[in-house]
Amino acid sequence: TMGAVLAIMSHRRGFPLTIRYVFWPLIGDRCYGWMGDAVDVLSIVTTIFGVCTSLGLGAMQVNQGLQRLSHGFYQGVNYNIPADEKYSTPLCGGTGQTCGVGKEAYGIQTNVPTQIFIIVVITVVATVSVISGMDRGIVNLSRFNFALGMFLMFAVLFLGETYFCLDLIVQTAGYYVFYFMKVAFQTDAFERLGKAALGLGGAPDGKGGSDSWLSGWTIFYWGWWISWAPFVGTFLEIF
């Protein structure tokens, strides 16, 4: 939607390619004043929030993957960890963990310093890509990402449990279709009643569910995706 409106206002109406002119039908000449400035500033700030969220979650995921690779993790077994008593708790160097007396962490750990290093590396690569221009850096980086993603997908499919992967694809697709409408209308109505002591009609046995689904998934992803709207819309408008 954002890309379509930007394309119309820029290519059809002749306005500059900025978010403020999306609101021209609503606020008219006010786009040239403080309202337009506020819209542009807000679009930049929300884009920064979206990028930071993606970068943070991506760094945590990459860190977890590198940790598993360094430990040789496969089907619940860490094959690379030496059979030494001091490595009996190999993850003790991770966030919130403490190594006991005579114990040492092994390999890459899931912690903040490692994630900061990953963020720095990703930022440097992205910066070099942008500086190199659309025709060189961004295009080649996109091609590399696509090739790497396809390689990983086929490696997991053919080097792992192929039958299980194919069965899982079919099964999860069915679950998605089956639960789509149910989850789409989930509002945590009963969960948000809280405990019975609140007097709102909560579960008297104290075993009611938590209301974390709506805030941790629905609202969080709404905010995350909407924060990307200005950037992605501008990018799509170009094409």
Side-chain angles (χ1 to χ4, degrees), residues 83-98:
D84 193 321
E85 179 61 26
K86 66 179 181 179
Y87 297 128
S88 60
T89 56
L91 300 177
C92 63
T95 301
Q97 304 291 327
T98 303

Side-chain angles (χ1 to χ4, degrees), residues 80-124:
N80 289 347
I81 299 178
D84 193 321
E85 179 61 26
K86 66 179 181 179
Y87 297 128
S88 60
T89 56
L91 300 177
C92 63
T95 301
Q97 304 291 327
T98 303
C99 294
V101 179
K103 306 295 182 180
E104 295 183 12
Y106 180 84
I108 298 175
Q109 299 295 302
T110 305
N111 51 31
V112 175
T114 305
Q115 292 162 10
I116 292 176
F117 176 77
I118 293 172
I119 290 175
V120 171
V121 172
I122 294 175
T123 303
V124 170

Side-chain angles (χ1 to χ4, degrees), residues 7 56 74 82 107 118 143 156 164 171 211 213 215:
Y74 180 70
I118 293 172
R143 290 171 177 169
V156 171
F164 170 76
Q171 181 171 317
D211 61 351
W213 168 264
S215 59

Side-chain angles (χ1 to χ4, degrees), residues 172-194:
T172 52
Y175 270 95
Y176 177 82
V177 173
F178 183 79
Y179 282 103
F180 179 81
M181 295 302 294
K182 175 181 181 298
V183 177
F185 288 88
Q186 176 70 26
T187 60
D188 285 346
F190 294 105
E191 290 80 1
R192 287 189 291 140
L193 293 176

